[in-house]
Amino acid sequence: MTTTEGKRATYKQRYDEADDGLRFQELTYTGNFVGMEPVTDGIKGDKMMKARAKSGVLEKVSKDDVLKDQFSIDELNDLNNYLAWNIWDVLVMRATEGVSGMIPRQEYEILAFMHEFYRWPELLRMTTAEVGGAQGVMDIGASARREIGTKINSVHDWAIGAVGFGMGRCGLLALETIGADDYIPESNEILKFMQRVLWGKRQDGYLLNSQDRYRCQIHEQDFLDQLVAQVEPLEHGSPKHSAFTQFNAAAELLSFLDHYDCRLGLGDTGPYELPDGNILILRDLFVNEEVFHWSDVCEDAKLPHCYSLALVIDPEKMGLNEIRVNDISTTFTRPKNYIEAIVGGAVFAREKWNTPMGEVYPIKIDDLAEHLGRVQTATLKLYTKTSKMCRRDLIWNGQYVYYIDMILPHLRKAGTYEKACRDYDLWEIDQRVSNYYYDITKRGFAQETVPSKIFSGAGYLPFSDNADLRNSKGRWL
C-alpha cells in the first residue's frame, strides 16, 4: 500500500446530515422493493431504507418504545426490510475475505439460522424473565460501555435479530417449512431482545451502527482515557510497528479459525476521535473460547480468552475519506488499507470471559513475541485438529458456533447459561433441524437457494396485512 501523504482527510464530512457517504461497491439492493429505485450501500442506503419505513422503528427510539412488550406488524416489517438490507450491506463488503477451505460454512450457516429461529425465542424469553424484564436486558447491553474483551458487541447483538430472526425465518421460508405469517410472537421475542440489548449499549436512541453513519462509539469517556493512556507510539517501518501489526494479523487469524471461519471472534468499536485529531479503533480478538471443545489447543497454549488492541490511526497520513465500523464489528476504510497509518497501539489481555476489568492487563509491544508464538502454535494445532474432522462434525461444530455463541455472552451476563443447558437442553439439536441436515444438500439448497434468497434479500417475505400478532405456527400441512 502507498499512503496518500499530503492528501486532506475528508472523512468528517460523512457525519454531516446532508452527506450521502461514499459508495464502497457498485452492486445495489432490491429486496421487497421490486419496481422501485434500487437501494445503495452505506449512508445513502440507510437513508433510503428509513424513508421507505411505515413506522418510526428505524429512527431514534425512546426508552418507552424499547420497554413495550412487542412490535406492531408495520414495525416488524420495517425491521425485517432493514435487516435484510443491512445483511446485504455487510455481506457484500466482506465477500472477498478468505476462508480455510476445510469448513463447509454455507451448510452450517443455514442449519444454524433455522435452529436459532426455532429455539431462541424460549431461551430469550426465559433470560428476560430471569433478569427482571426489559430493563434487565438493557442493562446487559449497557455493561459493554465499560468493558473490553466482551462478546456483548455489535456482531453478537446484531446477530440476534439479523441472523436469528432475519436469516432464520428467511431460510425456513425458502425451505417452505413455514409461511410468511407464522411464528409472529416468536419473531417479536427475538427482535425485542435485540432492540433492548442494543439500545442499552448505545444509549443514543439508535440500534445499529449503520443508522448512525457506521459509528459504534459506545465506551464511556473516562474508560477510554484509561486505555488511551497506555498507547505506545508507532512509526511505520519500525520493529515495534511490525511487531504490533504482525500480532494483530496472527491473532485475527486464530480468532477466525476458533470460531469456524466467522466474525464472531472479532469485535471493533469506534471510531473515537482523539484530542490530536487521530482516531482510535478498539479491537477484541477472541482467541480462546472455552465453551468449544476444540479450543483445548488454545488452552494448552495458555492463551487468554481475548486480546484487545487499541489502534490509533492518523487520518491525514492516509487521506481518510470514509470509515465504517459496521454491524458485524468490522472496520472498513477508503482508502482501503490503513496499516501504514497506524501511529500508536496497545495490547491488553482478558484471561477469562468473566475476568474483572480491574484484572485485565496490558502487554508491552516489546513483549509480544512470546504471545505471538503461543498464537501461532495454537493456530497450527487447530488447523491440524480441524483437518482430521469429518464433514458432519465440521457442519455441526460450525452450527454450534452460530447457534450457541451468538447468544452466549448475553446468557452468561444474565447468569442463565447453566439454566439454558439444564432446563432447556441448549446443546441438543431440534429434531426438525436435525432432519434438515439431509434436506439442505438436495437441489443445491445451501449453495444456490441460500445465496439467492438470504444474501440477496429476495427471500425476506413481509408479514401480510392480515397477520395476527398472536399467530404462531398454526398448522402442519
Side-chain angles (χ1 to χ4, degrees):
M1 180 196 115
T2 301
T3 55
T4 51
E5 297 278 5
K7 183 177 180 182
R8 188 172 67 92
T10 60
Y11 78 99
K12 289 185 182 180
Q13 295 176 14
R14 308 290 83 81
Y15 305 138
D16 293 339
E17 185 176 350
D19 193 272
D20 286 342
L22 305 182
R23 301 283 67 76
F24 279 27
Q25 47 89 21
E26 297 180 359
L27 299 175
T28 54
Y29 175 83
T30 300
N32 286 327
F33 302 104
V34 178
M36 300 177 68
E37 179 186 357
V39 184
T40 71
D41 72 303
I43 294 169
K44 183 179 179 181
D46 165 70
K47 287 183 177 181
M48 295 175 75
M49 294 301 299
K50 288 175 179 173
R52 295 178 184 183
K54 294 182 179 180
S55 72
V57 75
L58 302 181
E59 305 299 331
K60 285 189 174 183
V61 292
S62 69
K63 184 175 182 179
D64 286 341
D65 291 326
V66 180
L67 292 174
K68 290 179 181 177
D69 289 337
Q70 62 183 359
F71 295 108
S72 68
I73 294 297
D74 280 347
E75 289 173 328
L76 288 172
N77 278 332
D78 287 340
L79 286 169
N80 176 63
N81 288 335
Y82 190 90
L83 288 170
W85 166 79
N86 182 283
I87 290 163
W88 169 86
D89 184 50
V90 299
L91 290 180
V92 294
M93 285 303 301
R94 54 147 243 206
T96 58
E97 74 186 19
V99 296
S100 70
M102 291 187 294
I103 298 171
R105 198 163 81 181
Q106 286 181 319
E107 288 85 350
Y108 87 60
E109 285 178 336
I110 186 58
L111 288 170
F113 298 161
M114 298 185 288
H115 203 193
E116 292 161 357
F117 187 78
Y118 280 143
R119 293 295 317 278
W120 280 1
E122 65 174 356
L123 296 165
L124 300 180
R125 186 185 311 120
M126 175 271 289
T127 296
T128 300
E130 288 288 321
V131 297
Q135 181 62 56
V137 179
M138 294 161 70
D139 291 342
I140 292 173
S143 68
R145 297 175 64 83
R146 303 192 66 85
E147 292 190 26
I148 54 175
T150 176
K151 283 187 171 182
I152 300 173
N153 59 14
S154 291
V155 64
H156 284 78
D157 303 344
W158 168 90
I160 296 172
V163 183
F165 163 75
M167 296 188 191
R169 177 173 175 269
C170 185
L172 291 166
L173 287 169
L175 200 59
E176 300 179 354
T177 60
I178 69 170
D181 288 346
D182 291 337
Y183 292 108
I184 298 178
E186 291 82 359
S187 298
N188 248 314
E189 289 284 355
I190 297 173
L191 288 172
K192 266 297 173 181
F193 197 96
M194 178 196 76
Q195 183 195 44
R196 289 163 178 167
V197 167
L198 285 166
W199 197 94
K201 183 178 72 176
R202 293 187 60 96
Q203 298 187 12
D204 62 0
Y206 288 122
L207 305 182
L208 301 170
N209 301 345
S210 58
Q211 293 177 292
D212 187 32
R213 296 170 180 264
Y214 298 88
R215 290 176 288 192
C216 185
Q217 299 168 334
I218 65 165
H219 287 103
E220 305 284 0
Q221 186 61 52
D222 65 320
F223 179 77
L224 276 178
D225 291 343
Q226 296 172 37
L227 302 178
V228 172
Q230 301 186 68
V231 167
E232 300 180 50
L234 300 174
E235 182 179 351
H236 177 66
S238 70
K240 275 193 174 185
H241 189 281
S242 298
F244 181 77
T245 55
Q246 183 182 8
F247 181 79
N248 173 70
E252 185 170 326
L253 176 63
L254 179 57
S255 71
F256 253 87
L257 185 59
D258 196 37
H259 293 78
Y260 267 59
D261 272 351
C262 83
R263 289 189 175 270
L264 291 176
L266 294 79
D268 284 5
T269 57
Y272 301 99
E273 185 176 358
L274 300 177
D276 61 2
N278 290 335
I279 54 178
L280 170 71
I281 295 291
L282 293 178
R283 173 166 299 155
D284 291 328
L285 299 173
F286 300 95
V287 295
N288 183 6
E289 178 46 74
E290 65 185 50
V291 80
F292 301 130
H293 66 78
W294 53 87
S295 285
D296 58 351
V297 298
C298 303
E299 188 67 28
D300 290 345
K302 295 181 170 52
L303 291 176
H305 174 64
C306 182
Y307 289 110
S308 296
L309 280 64
L311 296 85
V312 176
I313 298 169
D314 182 345
E316 297 297 335
K317 184 177 180 65
M318 65 180 294
L320 181 63
N321 295 318
E322 183 170 338
I323 181 168
R324 298 182 190 177
V325 178
N326 67 21
D327 289 294
I328 54 172
S329 295
T330 307
T331 300
F332 287 95
T333 60
R334 289 296 182 270
K336 292 182 179 181
N337 197 329
Y338 53 84
I339 299 300
E340 290 185 15
I342 294 175
V343 295
V347 180
F348 306 87
R350 190 170 191 172
E351 287 295 329
K352 301 292 183 182
W353 69 267
N354 57 351
T355 295
M357 284 306 302
E359 297 177 18
V360 173
Y361 58 90
I363 302 169
K364 292 292 185 183
I365 294 176
D366 286 340
D367 297 332
L368 280 179
E370 178 189 353
H371 293 269
L372 176 63
R374 293 186 210 165
V375 167
Q376 292 173 330
T377 296
T379 302
L380 178 59
K381 288 184 176 180
L382 190 51
Y383 268 118
T384 302
K385 177 187 283 278
T386 306
S387 69
K388 294 177 180 179
M389 293 181 187
C390 67
R391 181 176 181 275
R392 188 182 187 94
D393 284 349
L394 291 170
I395 289 174
W396 285 121
N397 287 347
Q399 185 274 153
Y400 280 129
V401 170
Y402 268 36
Y403 163 69
I404 297 289
D405 197 85
M406 286 178 177
I407 60 169
L408 177 64
H410 312 94
L411 301 188
R412 279 171 164 169
K413 184 66 72 171
T416 59
Y417 172 70
E418 296 298 336
K419 182 178 179 66
C421 294
R422 182 185 66 247
D423 299 342
Y424 290 79
D425 293 321
L426 175 63
W427 285 82
E428 189 52 86
I429 296 171
D430 188 282
Q431 184 175 336
R432 292 165 292 183
V433 177
S434 184
N435 291 337
Y436 297 158
Y437 174 82
Y438 300 99
D439 291 334
I440 63 169
T441 62
K442 299 173 183 176
R443 301 178 301 281
F445 183 80
Q447 292 76 21
E448 297 176 20
T449 304
V450 173
S452 67
K453 297 289 187 180
I454 294 180
F455 298 158
S456 72
Y460 296 81
L461 303 181
F463 298 99
S464 74
D465 292 338
N466 299 319
D468 191 323
L469 285 169
R470 301 166 297 178
N471 190 34
S472 187
K473 176 68 175 176
R475 63 192 68 85
W476 289 77
L477 296 173

